């Protein structure tokens, strides 16, 4: 199929979905007289503050994991990770606009940072929800919840790398999602079409787009056991790429106080940024010679204290395996992150976490981030 034909199909899909949104908007306007009891817009403001103290415990490795053979580098650091502001505007019964910005990103070059979510969502019903703008397309477990309720230190290494590939993290495009019942089994889906070159970009960097799908099957209600299947195809500078993934999650409540939350996820995809980083003369014809593969397992034990000054405590230990180029230049990274957390306000309103991140590479490379490292972390956060 020619690039022109693909482009025509993409435009047809875009304008069809956009037309549905606009038509429904008009319908909402006609019903306004029937909804006089509800005043729009309804505004909701939220925020997140998250800060860390880091101590590198490996010789000649700084707090960012970079090795310095000359002994330079910073081995301890205070940092502000997030200072997020979120605004959600419900502008009609079915339509909302969401804005999310991380003001802490001003410490870096803010050109393609700071603004995170910026989208319009239209809800026809529980079976069909359309989202247009900059958002996190569903392609795995970690896309389904925010950073402030994460059970470990940070997103997995796998999530970060797949964000660079355009499948996860904040992307610009459109999505359709919903939930239904397959007999008695709960079922969720999400289908996304995105540029695939990250957030806050003026234009797509080529004519290709990335299509992804996530399907979630609720297999055992008693144990909140879910199976997620993820798949995606796309085109980057005329080359076909793909991504696949599978994940399992479960929440077991032993009694009113003790619970166990478990996540297991694995993904594989074309590592096209690495492929295009190679000079054309040395580059193979098939980009699938450059493949990334990763997996992680995250168990989290929670105990509800329900004291006036302490709500709960949690203990987790995530194991990760990631190889960014396992076919041609394999150097897998294994990461173990035990964490202990104290929650002082309900729903992670205020908490403190302590942990250590152990990184191990099959081959250590001097003066790069591919070097064994031990990092001690103290992290505090407050949601408001």
């Amino acid at each position: 199929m020619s690039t022109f034909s693909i482009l025509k199909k993409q435009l047809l899909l875009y304008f069809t979905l956009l037309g549905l949104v606009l038509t429904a908007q008009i319908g909402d306007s006609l019903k306004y007289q029937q909804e006089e009891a509800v005043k729009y817009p309804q505004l909701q403001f939220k925020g997140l503050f998250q800060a860390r103290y880091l101590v590198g415990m490996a010789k000649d490795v700084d707090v960012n994991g970079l090795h310095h053979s000359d002994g330079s580098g910073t081995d301890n650091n205070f940092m502000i990770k997030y200072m997020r502001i979120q605004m959600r505007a419900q502008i009609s019964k079915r339509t909302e606009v969401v804005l999310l910005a991380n003001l802490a990103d001003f410490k870096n070059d803010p050109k393609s940072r700071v603004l995170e979510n910026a989208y319009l969502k239209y809800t026809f019903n529980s079976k069909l929800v359309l989202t247009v703008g900059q958002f996190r397309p569903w392609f795995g477990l970690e896309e389904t919840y925010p950073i402030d309720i994460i059970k470990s230190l940070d997103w997995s290494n796998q999530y970060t790398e797949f964000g660079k590939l355009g499948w996860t993290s904040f992307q610009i495009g459109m999505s359709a999602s919903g939930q239904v019942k397959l007999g008695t089994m709960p079922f969720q889906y999400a289908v996304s079409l995105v540029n695939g070159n990250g957030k806050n970009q003026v234009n797509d960097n080529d004519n290709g787009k990335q299509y992804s799908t996530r399907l979630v099957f609720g297999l055992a209600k008693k144990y909140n056991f879910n199976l997620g299947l993820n798949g995606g195809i796309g085109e980057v500078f005329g080359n076909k790429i793909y991504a696949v993934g599978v994940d399992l999650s479960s929440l077991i409540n032993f009694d009113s106080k003790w619970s166990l939350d478990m996540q297991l996820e694995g993904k594989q995809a074309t590592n096209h940024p690495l492929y295009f980083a190679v000079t054309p003369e040395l580059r193979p014809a098939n980009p699938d010679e450059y493949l990334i593969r990763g997996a992680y397992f995250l168990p989290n034990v929670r105990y509800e204290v329900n004291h006036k000054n302490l709500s709960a405590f949690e203990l987790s230990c995530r194991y990760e395996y990631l190889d960014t180029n396992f076919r041609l230049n394999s150097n897998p990274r294994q990461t173990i992150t035990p964490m202990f957390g104290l929650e002082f306000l309900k729903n992670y309103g205020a908490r403190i976490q302590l942990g250590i991140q152990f990184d191990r590479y099959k081959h250590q490379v001097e003066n790069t981030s591919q070097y064994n490292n031990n990092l001690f972390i103290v992290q505090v956060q407050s949601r408001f």
Side-chain angles (χ1 to χ4, degrees), residues 315-330:
L315 182 63
S316 70
C317 185
R318 182 171 63 195
Y319 169 78
E320 303 180 60
Y321 177 93
L322 180 69
D323 196 338
T324 58
N325 190 12
F326 68 85
R327 275 191 175 173
L328 296 181
N329 188 22
S330 178

Side-chain angles (χ1 to χ4, degrees), residues 6 8 35 78 99 105 127 172 175 264 272 276 295 375:
I6 294 174
K8 286 199 298 183
E35 300 177 4
F78 286 102
L99 167 69
D105 265 342
K127 299 180 180 65
I172 301 174
S175 174
L264 175 64
H272 53 275
F276 287 111
L375 183 67

Side-chain angles (χ1 to χ4, degrees), residues 134-288:
Q134 182 168 288
F135 58 95
R136 295 168 64 202
W138 279 17
F139 197 80
L141 273 172
E142 293 177 284
E143 290 75 32
T144 63
Y145 54 81
I147 184 67
D148 38 320
I149 63 171
I150 202 167
K151 307 298 182 181
S152 189
L153 168 68
D154 209 334
W155 303 118
S156 68
N157 300 323
Q158 172 185 268
Y159 175 86
T160 302
E161 292 298 321
F162 273 70
K164 298 174 185 176
L165 305 180
W167 300 111
T168 62
S169 193
F170 301 98
Q171 305 292 333
I172 301 174
M174 59 196 313
S175 174
S177 60
Q179 52 187 357
V180 296
K181 289 270 191 177
L182 298 179
T184 59
M185 180 177 66
F187 171 74
Q188 292 179 291
Y189 76 92
V191 181
S192 302
L193 168 62
V194 299
N195 289 336
N197 60 328
K199 60 185 179 182
N200 303 328
Q201 302 297 321
V202 177
N203 294 306
D204 194 358
N205 56 359
D206 73 336
N207 288 324
K209 294 291 181 287
Q210 293 178 216
Y211 305 81
S212 63
T213 300
R214 174 169 173 77
L215 308 176
V216 183
F217 302 88
L219 300 181
K221 183 177 181 180
K222 180 179 179 181
Y223 302 109
N224 297 290
F225 183 72
N226 295 311
L227 167 66
L229 302 176
N230 312 285
I233 57 172
E235 183 178 298
V236 178
F237 298 114
N239 291 270
K240 303 297 183 182
I241 62 171
Y242 80 94
V244 292
V246 61
D247 55 78
L248 299 169
S249 64
S250 178
L251 175 59
I252 303 173
N253 294 300
F254 298 108
D255 54 34
S256 60
K257 292 184 177 293
W258 288 97
S259 62
L260 173 63
D261 186 342
M262 292 184 290
Q263 300 178 9
L264 175 64
E265 183 169 8
K267 290 177 182 174
Q268 179 172 304
T270 311
N271 194 337
H272 53 275
L274 191 60
Y275 172 76
F276 287 111
V278 179
T279 57
E281 296 78 16
L282 302 176
R283 191 184 299 160
N286 185 4
D288 287 342

Side-chain angles (χ1 to χ4, degrees), residues 10-210:
Q10 292 171 355
L11 289 173
L12 180 61
L13 175 62
Y14 178 83
F15 285 115
T16 300
L17 293 178
L18 186 60
L20 286 172
V21 174
L22 293 176
T23 301
Q25 283 272 69
I26 294 172
D28 270 359
S29 298
L30 295 176
K31 294 177 182 178
Y32 180 75
Q33 297 295 331
Q34 302 173 6
E35 300 177 4
E36 289 183 350
V38 181
K39 302 296 183 182
Y40 296 106
Q42 296 178 343
L43 301 179
Q44 181 186 62
F45 291 91
K46 291 183 178 181
L48 168 69
F49 171 79
Q50 191 180 92
R52 296 174 177 174
Y53 177 64
L54 310 172
V55 179
M57 300 187 296
K59 181 177 173 58
D60 299 332
V61 180
D62 67 21
V63 292
N64 296 312
L66 180 63
H67 176 252
H68 300 261
S69 59
D70 60 0
S72 64
T74 303
D75 63 7
N76 67 92
N77 183 42
F78 286 102
M79 69 173 295
I80 298 175
K81 181 68 174 179
Y82 291 102
M83 183 62 250
R84 274 182 165 171
I85 302 296
Q86 175 179 287
M87 184 190 75
R88 185 181 301 271
Q90 191 77 33
I91 61 176
S92 75
K93 181 180 178 180
R94 300 178 185 274
T95 310
E96 64 177 313
V97 177
V98 175
L99 167 69
L100 177 65
N102 180 21
L103 304 183
D105 265 342
F106 278 114
K107 65 179 178 286
N108 304 298
D109 180 2
K111 181 178 179 181
S112 61
R113 308 176 75 96
V114 183
L115 182 64
E116 297 185 331
N117 277 331
Y119 62 81
L120 179 146
K121 178 186 288 187
Y122 187 86
T123 303
F124 286 93
N125 49 49
S126 61
K127 299 180 180 65
L128 179 59
V129 179
L130 296 181
T131 303
V132 180
Q134 182 168 288
F135 58 95
R136 295 168 64 202
W138 279 17
F139 197 80
L141 273 172
E142 293 177 284
E143 290 75 32
T144 63
Y145 54 81
I147 184 67
D148 38 320
I149 63 171
I150 202 167
K151 307 298 182 181
S152 189
L153 168 68
D154 209 334
W155 303 118
S156 68
N157 300 323
Q158 172 185 268
Y159 175 86
T160 302
E161 292 298 321
F162 273 70
K164 298 174 185 176
L165 305 180
W167 300 111
T168 62
S169 193
F170 301 98
Q171 305 292 333
I172 301 174
M174 59 196 313
S175 174
S177 60
Q179 52 187 357
V180 296
K181 289 270 191 177
L182 298 179
T184 59
M185 180 177 66
F187 171 74
Q188 292 179 291
Y189 76 92
V191 181
S192 302
L193 168 62
V194 299
N195 289 336
N197 60 328
K199 60 185 179 182
N200 303 328
Q201 302 297 321
V202 177
N203 294 306
D204 194 358
N205 56 359
D206 73 336
N207 288 324
K209 294 291 181 287
Q210 293 178 216

